[in-house]
Amino acid sequence: MLWKPVFNLVALVSAPLVGAFVIPYDPQVLLANHEQRLPESSPLDQGVDAFTRPSWFTSTLLARRLLALSSSGVVSTTFPDPVPSSAHAPSSVAGLPIGLREYTADCNSFLPEHLSNDDNGDPTILALRVATTFKNINAGSNLSLELDWWDHIDQAGPVYPGLPRSPAALPRVTLFGYLEALPPLTDEAATRLEQCFLQAHPDAKVWLPGASGSPHSSFWARLIVTHAYWIGGFGDVQQIGWMNVTEWKGIRRESSMDGVGDGRGWTHA
Ligand SMILES: *[C@@H]1O[C@H](CO)[C@@H](O)[C@H](O)[C@H]1NC(C)=O
Ligand SMILES: *[C@@H]1O[C@H](CO)[C@@H](O)[C@H](O)[C@H]1NC(C)=O
């Protein structure tokens, strides 16, 4: 049976940004991408050969866009082995991974230039010292962060005629790396970072670092990305695999660094 994909990453490509920016939605770009991915098919076209996947660079643009649009993701860490009694966890979870959803935002570009990592796609995380995720990290765990577009299934169309909308067809990326605490910020830098983060998380103002009367002690941190694994959707029409981290880090909002991909930025995915 010939299944022809009718929608791809429409919701992701056309979504308004939850963070500090407004992404212009250019239907021409979207349509152009569509035509590229949906070649004219003749009755002789059969099976997956009729489909084309976006290039890996385009997929990486989409992944950076997913980061920019996301406000939370599942952070996986592992319990220390042995589990210290202060962890209040069963000793038998030593070494096991635990995935917990955490607030994130793509705020590097709001930091002063010398701290911004040049806006290279290291997600900003508000870390609560009391939370299991950050206790595990404090005990030596590295982490991964999974971001996905599954909450937006209502905005997606069916991938194939006759198949209901499918979250499995929507993109997700898992970023691997280690947590880096941000150094102390000047009041001005902290205010800018808070502005970015609170756009996505107005409620988090209660537990911002240094918030008076905060129920939990917190600090600003970011995930320094060392690897990125992408599942664009169904494998016949999307890429699945490890991304080129040089490209992940070299993509910017409007364009990418010299020598990275074809020069587009993530707004032009
Ligand atoms: C955490 O990641 C760093 C940098 O990638 C690496 O050097 C270190 O060995 C990792 N630690 C663990 C416990 O895997
Ligand atoms: C990763 O991307 C960079 C920039 O586009 C490119 O120069 C490099 O060859 C790529 N690495 C691999 C292993 O493909």
Side-chain angles (χ1 to χ4, degrees):
M1 163 184 186
L2 174 60
W3 269 9
K4 199 168 184 309
V6 292
F7 275 89
N8 269 307
L9 301 168
V10 178
L12 177 58
V13 171
S14 64
L17 189 55
V18 293
F21 317 101
V22 175
I23 295 186
Y25 165 42
D26 179 354
Q28 293 308 317
V29 171
L30 183 59
L31 287 171
N33 285 350
H34 260 266
E35 271 160 21
Q36 196 188 340
R37 287 177 216 157
L38 296 179
E40 288 288 308
S41 69
S42 77
L44 295 176
D45 286 339
Q46 290 295 325
V48 297
D49 290 346
F51 306 145
T52 52
R53 301 183 186 94
S55 69
W56 265 110
F57 182 68
T58 295
S59 301
T60 310
L61 291 176
L62 287 165
R64 282 293 301 265
R65 189 179 181 95
L66 180 57
L67 170 67
L69 292 167
S70 295
S71 55
S72 70
V74 175
V75 174
S76 296
T77 58
T78 48
F79 283 102
D81 187 2
V83 178
S85 57
S86 60
H88 304 294
S91 58
S92 50
V93 300
L96 288 185
I98 177 170
L100 293 166
R101 196 148 181 156
E102 306 288 352
Y103 284 0
T104 64
D106 187 15
C107 293
N108 262 355
S109 65
F110 285 73
L111 287 164
E113 204 174 345
H114 69 287
L115 295 179
S116 69
N117 282 4
D118 203 19
D119 191 19
N120 68 347
D122 293 332
T124 307
I125 297 177
L126 181 53
L128 299 187
R129 291 181 208 279
V130 72
T132 297
T133 294
F134 302 101
K135 283 196 198 163
N136 284 348
I137 290 168
N138 196 39
S141 174
N142 283 326
L143 66 153
S144 66
L145 166 66
E146 189 259 4
L147 304 170
D148 62 61
W149 203 241
W150 287 25
D151 288 348
H152 299 260
I153 185 69
D154 289 351
Q155 299 156 31
V159 178
Y160 305 106
L163 184 73
R165 286 173 173 168
S166 174
L170 297 183
R172 50 266 197 204
V173 66
T174 301
L175 306 173
F176 295 76
Y178 56 93
L179 196 76
E180 175 188 87
L182 291 180
L185 299 174
T186 63
D187 287 352
E188 194 194 338
T191 302
R192 275 180 59 76
L193 183 58
E194 288 166 11
Q195 269 170 4
C196 172
F197 201 84
L198 295 181
Q199 286 259 349
H201 304 290
D203 53 325
K205 72 173 187 206
V206 178
W207 60 90
L208 287 176
S212 64
S214 169
H216 302 298
S217 159
S218 65
F219 61 97
W220 289 115
R222 62 186 157 204
L223 165 59
I224 306 294
V225 175
T226 57
H227 300 86
Y229 186 75
W230 170 251
I231 299 181
F234 294 150
D236 54 349
V237 286
Q238 295 297 333
Q239 301 288 359
I240 295 176
W242 294 93
M243 299 194 136
N244 179 327
V245 175
T246 306
E247 292 189 345
W248 170 271
K249 288 181 180 289
I251 290 167
R252 301 289 174 267
R253 181 183 161 81
E254 295 298 335
S255 58
S256 50
M257 306 293 281
D258 283 351
V260 171
D262 59 21
R264 281 175 295 159
W266 59 256
T267 53
H268 307 292

